[in-house]
Amino acid sequence: MVRARPRSSRPTSKSAYARLVGQLFSVTGSLEQADDVVQEAFIRALDRWPRIQAYDVPELWVRRVAINLAVSEIRRLRRRAAALLRLGAQRPQPQLTPQTTDVAEMLRRVPVNQRPVLLLHDVLDPPIEQVAEQLSLPVSTVRGRLARARANLTRHLDADPEGALSRHGRP
């Protein structure tokens, strides 16, 4: 008679994790990607642990899921690369004038949520109501962000009078 050994309350051990990452490295070619798919497989195993713990070797389930995830990711990356290759020749290159780079440098000086408001209103010049509509924000929020963005920008420019904008002969 063969005795069933007691099952642990965890999917597998640390050594199984390291073993699976090593095995998946062979599939993915990337240690980082192997680590990602094994982590995702363990997360999925935890969600289904009451059923998986009844398996003779739960690690086999985790390995199978990790392999499926890795193969899916490889296929997704191949499809994306093929699409980029097809579109690559058709994509126009943006014209980066000194003025465009100055505006980009200026916008990097304010918080991310204030940049679109500053760009749309102060650079492209539509009315505040139109900016609010384009960003799906209330007009009062646009006004507040615009005021804070201008104050932040003024603070940065006052602190650095020889900054990026003055390097190109602009005040």
Side-chain angles (χ1 to χ4, degrees), residues 13-24 38 42:
S13 67
K14 290 180 185 179
S15 63
Y17 181 83
R19 185 172 44 253
L20 288 170
V21 170
Q23 293 165 356
L24 268 291
V38 171
F42 271 98

Side-chain angles (χ1 to χ4, degrees), residues 88-129:
Q90 301 170 4
R91 287 184 9 198
Q93 294 299 315
Q95 299 298 317
L96 296 179
T97 64
Q99 182 182 5
T100 303
T101 56
D102 288 348
V103 168
E105 177 63 30
M106 176 187 67
L107 289 175
R108 280 194 291 271
R109 295 172 184 238
V110 299
V112 175
N113 70 338
Q114 297 170 6
R115 292 175 190 174
V117 173
L118 193 61
L119 172 70
L120 289 173
H121 187 269
D122 285 3
V123 177
L124 302 178
D125 204 30
I128 285 183
E129 293 76 18

